[in-house]
Structures are given as C-alpha cells and as structure tokens.
Amino acid sequence: MSPLNVATTGETISTGTETFEASHIDVVETVIASLDQGGNAMVSHDDDGYLWKFTYGSVTVYVQLTGIDDEDTLTVWSPVLKLPVQNQPKLMEELLAMNCGETFEACFGISNHEVLALASRILADINPGEISRLMTIVATIADEQDDVLQEKYPAA
C-alpha cells in the first residue's frame, strides 16, 4: 500500500463551502482524508480494484472499490472483535439485535474469525453523499462497539 493522495476530477461534490468535480475514487479519498485520525491512510491499486486502509478512533477501516463501472461495488468494513470469545451464542444474539435496529445501512458480519462492521453497495446511481455516509457509518459503529464488545466478550 502507498500513502494516500487526494485528487479531484469527475463528478460534482460539495463540502458545504466549496463545490468541485470528483470521481468515485476521489470521493473515497476525500472522505478518508476527513475521517483518518491516524495520519497514515494507505491505498493499493491492482487489477481487482482499489483498497484503502485508515484509522478511525481505535479501529482500522478498509474501503474496497472493485472498479469504476455501475456494476462494480464499494465495500467498507472494520474488524471489531476476534473470535472465538466467551459466551459466543450471547454475542451472536446481541449482534443480530443490533443489526435489526442500530446499524443503519451497515451490519455486523463474520469473516476470517472476526466480527466486522460492514456495508456494501453497487456503484450504479451512487452519489458522493452515499459514499461518505457508508464510510462514516461503518467507521463510527466499529469505533463505538469494538471496546464495548471486547470487554463484554473476552477471548475464549
């Protein structure tokens, strides 16, 4: 991964005080620049698309863009808790309950023995505000829940 450089070309987005043209890639990088609290955001680009990594509070957030066409996907995720944990059935019940009413467009899921906060959306008709919202929701939920869940459900 290489350090993040924010650029601006493509669609129109507004920061509240200024409007400029930006592509989906540029929108992602602009949002990361506003959310990154570690000062070490990174980006990687290969044939499979783009992958960004940044720090928000106590979590690491990943953003993947599989390409730039309408059928490509924007996925945002952040690891929250390593598995296995004590009282894992109770954890699963709590995560499902949170998915039902507390996670907005995001959800909790499990991948590679980790609980993740995540959201995914195809690029068709996506706008800069939706990109920003998905990234902000995942980062915020992960940061709010990681310490709470790690304390409630210690490693098994």
Side-chain angles (χ1 to χ4, degrees):
M1 293 195 137
S2 59
L4 178 68
N5 292 316
V6 178
T8 57
T9 55
E11 299 178 23
T12 301
I13 67 171
S14 174
T15 63
T17 57
E18 143 183 34
T19 300
F20 55 94
E21 299 292 315
S23 70
H24 296 314
I25 294 163
D26 298 328
V27 172
V28 168
E29 292 188 349
T30 299
V31 174
I32 289 171
S34 72
L35 293 175
D36 180 39
Q37 296 175 349
N40 57 358
M42 304 292 277
V43 62
S44 173
H45 176 253
D46 61 21
D47 292 340
D48 295 326
Y50 294 82
L51 178 65
W52 292 267
K53 173 183 169 183
F54 68 96
T55 302
Y56 183 82
S58 59
V59 296
T60 300
V61 181
Y62 298 89
V63 180
Q64 181 180 32
L65 192 59
T66 60
I68 57 171
D69 297 324
D70 281 354
E71 66 275 359
D72 288 313
T73 305
L74 170 70
T75 303
V76 184
W77 74 95
S78 181
V80 182
L81 180 67
K82 290 191 182 296
L83 298 174
V85 296
Q86 296 174 25
N87 204 359
Q88 201 156 307
K90 180 69 177 157
L91 168 65
M92 297 306 141
E93 182 179 329
E94 185 172 345
L95 294 175
L96 283 172
M98 284 192 285
N99 277 351
C100 189
E102 298 177 31
T103 57
F104 306 100
E105 292 87 10
C107 63
F108 288 101
I110 297 173
S111 180
N112 295 321
H113 304 288
E114 288 184 308
V115 174
L116 310 173
L118 66 124
S120 188
R121 183 178 180 314
I122 63 167
L123 295 181
D125 299 321
I126 197 167
N127 65 54
E130 290 174 285
I131 293 170
S132 177
R133 181 171 168 85
L134 286 178
M135 293 171 65
T136 302
I137 286 172
V138 169
T140 302
I141 288 172
D143 185 47
E144 289 175 352
Q145 293 298 323
D146 68 324
D147 294 332
V148 172
L149 292 173
Q150 290 168 24
E151 185 176 319
K152 283 173 83 171
Y153 302 99

